[in-house]
Amino acid sequence: MTNLVESKRFDNVLTCAIVISSIILALDNPLRNPTSLMTRTLQVLNMTFALIFIVEFIMKVFAHGLHKYFQEMWNILDFAAVIASVMDTLNVSGGSALRLIRLLR
């Protein structure tokens, strides 16, 4: 698994996911009708990308171990983005404000 998470292809796929996720965040409008097709589609996409980033976290922890994972500052930022995504998906108070962390990726 270490070879996979350290591969250029893995990195490129995640970079692409980050870019698309950022575009989706930019398209979101809190004033839009919550039952509109656009809002529901963005919610599903947000959940999908949250799942992608959770899987990335799990794969890296399995490959490197929890201690080594948290030694890199980028991984700490990624973990904060995962937590923010989960909070936003679960509609936890403050989750939407934490979306900014996802943009920092």
Side-chain angles (χ1 to χ4, degrees):
M1 176 129 2
T2 303
N3 290 338
L4 174 65
V5 298
E6 292 179 357
S7 73
K8 187 68 174 166
R9 179 173 284 186
F10 185 81
D11 191 45
N12 288 341
V13 167
L14 284 172
T15 300
C16 187
I18 291 166
V19 169
I20 295 169
S21 175
S22 298
I23 291 169
I24 291 167
L25 286 174
L27 291 174
D28 197 11
N29 179 353
L31 302 178
R32 186 179 293 120
N33 180 355
T35 60
S36 73
L37 178 61
M38 179 71 151
T39 300
R40 290 190 319 236
T41 301
L42 291 175
Q43 288 171 340
V44 169
L45 290 171
N46 269 326
M47 284 189 270
T48 302
F49 282 103
L51 182 62
I52 289 169
F53 298 136
I54 290 168
V55 169
E56 173 203 10
F57 165 73
I58 292 168
M59 289 175 72
K60 285 186 173 181
V61 167
F62 275 127
H64 300 297
L66 201 56
H67 181 72
K68 185 175 178 186
Y69 177 84
F70 283 112
Q71 288 181 338
E72 285 190 39
M73 291 305 293
W74 281 116
N75 288 339
I76 294 170
L77 181 62
D78 285 349
F79 181 72
V82 166
I83 296 299
S85 296
V86 170
M87 288 178 64
D88 187 40
T89 301
L90 297 176
N91 291 322
V92 174
S93 178
S96 294
L98 292 174
R99 287 179 167 193
L100 294 174
I101 292 173
R102 285 175 56 189
L103 290 174
L104 292 175
R105 282 188 114 209

